[in-house]
Amino acid sequence: MNRLVAEIAASYRERPINPLLDYSLLPSRKRVIESIHLFWELLFPGYFGKQELNDETMEYHIGSVLIQIQEKLSDQIGRSLLYRRGQDSHSSKEVKPEAEEIIHQFLAEIPRIRSVLATDAQIAFDGDPAANDLSEIIFSYPGLFAVGIYRMAHELEVLSVPLIPRIMTEYAHSVTGIDIHPGAKIGNSFFIDHGTGVVIGETTVIGDRVKVYHGVTLGALSLREGHLMYGKKRHPTLEDDVTVYSGASILGGDTVIGKGVVIGSNVSIFKSVPAGAKVTVKNPELIIKGQAPQEFPQEFTWDWVI
């Protein structure tokens, strides 16, 4: 056993994942996830966490949750700053004022994030006949949960916080099957229906009132340059009022999907589509063993067929 321990330790030194060996500086994934649930309690009071709230106790509750978030997240932000800069634990006092300023700016965005999430919840309800009320959306819809965590993570990404935004969105990914990079830019009233398998890349830009279904990929074309393309536009732009049905893939940084476009299921798009168009694959044949091939009935005419 001692020999095995020594061999494993030697492998760390020979091929370190990161030359920084003071792993005590890494942010805690557990603490970040705890902060996520506190945020959810703050964004939707009464739905999560303490539920016996009224007008008299609401402000006290808000203050208590804010203090918990500030304590948990400012420490994790400080750790992530030290880690990114390769500094040791002796520098923790130096980054503390910066971490506190970041958390202050972040918390100041909570009222705006709540307002935007309200539009996300409303468009989910308006567009889904299976939803009984907004409470059902808030309690149970994975799309709202993933988008809400994205919106928090995006603010930290804008503030140049390392690691933590990805920890947040990858947690949402693990829970919902929805993978949204915190660097993506997403407008108001965004709805992901069902959600499983949705991928939204880092440089994606999405306008207002956009709806996507499960299995949709807003991705990049395969790039030989790999990480050399960091910071460049690699993912598509979807303008306002676009709908993308299940299984569709829209790829490439130069690809722009115009206002009001409807993308049918299982379509792969590598070039821009003009505003107002409808896009589908060619009507497929239905083959049943022992029967002649049959085409699916085409109930309406699409502008673009690929």
Side-chain angles (χ1 to χ4, degrees):
M1 179 64 73
N2 290 339
R3 180 180 176 182
L4 178 59
V5 169
E7 288 177 354
I8 293 174
S11 74
Y12 294 161
R13 299 184 184 99
E14 290 168 7
R15 302 231 15 189
I17 295 173
N18 192 297
L20 177 66
L21 293 178
D22 188 356
Y23 295 111
S24 65
L25 295 181
L26 285 169
S28 165
R29 185 175 184 272
K30 178 182 177 181
R31 299 295 183 213
V32 172
I33 292 171
E34 289 173 354
S35 298
I36 287 172
H37 290 289
L38 286 170
F39 275 118
W40 214 240
E41 188 175 339
L42 191 64
L43 292 168
F44 297 108
Y47 285 90
F48 305 97
K50 185 177 178 59
Q51 294 183 301
E52 297 79 17
L53 296 176
N54 53 47
D55 287 341
E56 294 179 357
T57 61
M58 181 66 74
E59 291 190 7
Y60 173 81
H61 175 69
I62 291 170
S64 174
V65 175
L66 281 173
I67 290 170
Q68 293 179 68
I69 293 171
Q70 186 167 7
E71 290 176 350
K72 285 181 183 292
L73 204 54
S74 62
D75 178 58
Q76 301 310 310
I77 290 171
R79 288 169 175 267
S80 68
L81 294 174
L82 288 172
Y83 173 79
R84 177 57 55 86
R85 296 168 188 176
Q87 294 174 291
D88 58 32
S89 57
H90 298 294
S91 304
S92 58
K93 291 183 179 179
E94 297 177 15
V95 299
K96 186 176 181 180
E98 183 178 354
E100 290 178 348
E101 177 59 24
I102 288 172
I103 194 68
H104 176 75
Q105 293 182 49
F106 174 60
L107 293 177
E109 295 296 322
I110 294 297
R112 185 185 60 79
I113 293 174
R114 287 202 74 245
S115 295
V116 175
L117 269 178
T119 71
D120 297 329
Q122 189 64 52
I123 197 172
F125 176 71
D126 292 344
D128 189 353
N132 292 303
D133 52 37
L134 283 173
S135 292
E136 185 175 331
I137 303 289
I138 294 167
F139 271 129
S140 60
Y141 273 43
L144 184 68
F145 185 68
V147 171
I149 292 177
Y150 150 78
R151 294 201 185 280
M152 292 184 286
H154 179 71
E155 293 305 319
L156 292 173
E157 183 85 359
V158 169
L159 292 168
S160 300
V161 175
L163 294 176
I164 292 175
R166 286 303 294 270
I167 293 173
M168 286 182 162
T169 55
E170 289 303 329
Y171 172 69
H173 182 195
S174 70
V175 172
T176 66
I178 298 169
D179 182 1
I180 309 176
H181 193 287
K185 297 177 181 178
I186 300 177
N188 297 340
S189 301
F190 181 55
F191 178 36
I192 301 177
D193 201 355
H194 302 293
T196 304
V198 168
V199 177
I200 300 176
E202 177 187 18
T203 61
T204 302
V205 177
I206 297 175
D208 296 335
R209 299 175 302 280
V210 170
K211 179 192 289 187
V212 301
Y213 285 77
H214 50 287
V216 167
T217 297
L218 306 179
L221 295 166
S222 180
L223 300 171
R224 295 181 183 274
E225 297 90 342
H227 199 264
L228 295 175
M229 291 292 292
Y230 177 79
K232 296 183 180 179
K233 183 81 163 68
R234 309 181 305 281
H235 304 90
T237 295
L238 277 60
E239 296 183 347
D240 297 345
D241 302 303
V242 170
T243 299
V244 187
Y245 284 102
S246 59
S249 295
I250 306 172
L251 308 177
D254 295 328
T255 302
V256 178
I257 307 302
K259 180 179 172 65
V261 167
V262 178
I263 307 293
S265 296
N266 301 316
V267 170
S268 294
I269 294 179
F270 310 96
K271 60 182 180 180
S272 296
V273 177
K278 298 180 177 65
V279 185
T280 187
V281 294
K282 186 178 180 181
N283 203 11
E285 289 183 338
L286 177 65
I287 299 175
I288 303 174
K289 189 174 181 179
Q291 299 286 328
Q294 302 176 44
E295 285 196 353
F296 289 112
Q298 190 77 50
E299 298 178 357
F300 47 83
T301 301
W302 296 81
D303 298 280
W304 281 31
V305 178
I306 59 175

